[in-house]
Amino acid sequence: MPEPAIAAKQPAVLELDPGVYWWCRCGRSNTQPFCDGSHKGTEFTPMELKLEERRRVALCCCKHTGTPPICDGTHKGL
Ligand code: FES
């Protein structure tokens, strides 16, 4: 698997309503932290994030987190 692009070295902290979201795994999306289809032609596919209730989440934007799609602080060492 190739290295994902680093979209940002900080997470996107969002208050999200219940529903299904698609987290960008490739780092190329222009609508971070969500997929906009820019991964086409790469080996990456987005990751589904399903929320049953309204929740505050810190979504990884460096794309190197060990707990995708949630930030684990890995960006601090990049
Ligand atoms: Fe990055 Fe779709 S744009 S996974």
Side-chain angles (χ1 to χ4, degrees):
M1 191 63 117
E3 281 283 297
I6 296 172
K9 289 187 178 177
Q10 60 188 36
V13 181
L14 303 169
E15 188 92 23
L16 295 177
D17 287 324
V20 174
Y21 299 88
W22 292 95
W23 176 69
C24 167
R25 202 165 358 204
C26 73
R28 296 176 173 212
S29 173
N30 289 311
T31 57
Q32 292 295 333
F34 304 112
C35 174
D36 71 353
S38 296
H39 62 270
K40 286 194 182 100
T42 74
E43 293 178 39
F44 293 97
T45 53
M47 174 179 280
E48 183 180 6
L49 169 64
K50 193 171 186 181
L51 296 178
E52 304 290 348
E53 57 193 28
R54 187 169 172 82
R55 206 179 130 195
R56 186 177 170 87
V57 289
L59 296 176
C60 171
C61 288
C62 77
K63 312 304 174 184
H64 287 70
T65 180
T67 56
I70 305 300
C71 172
D72 70 353
T74 296
H75 62 271
K76 291 178 189 148
L78 297 177

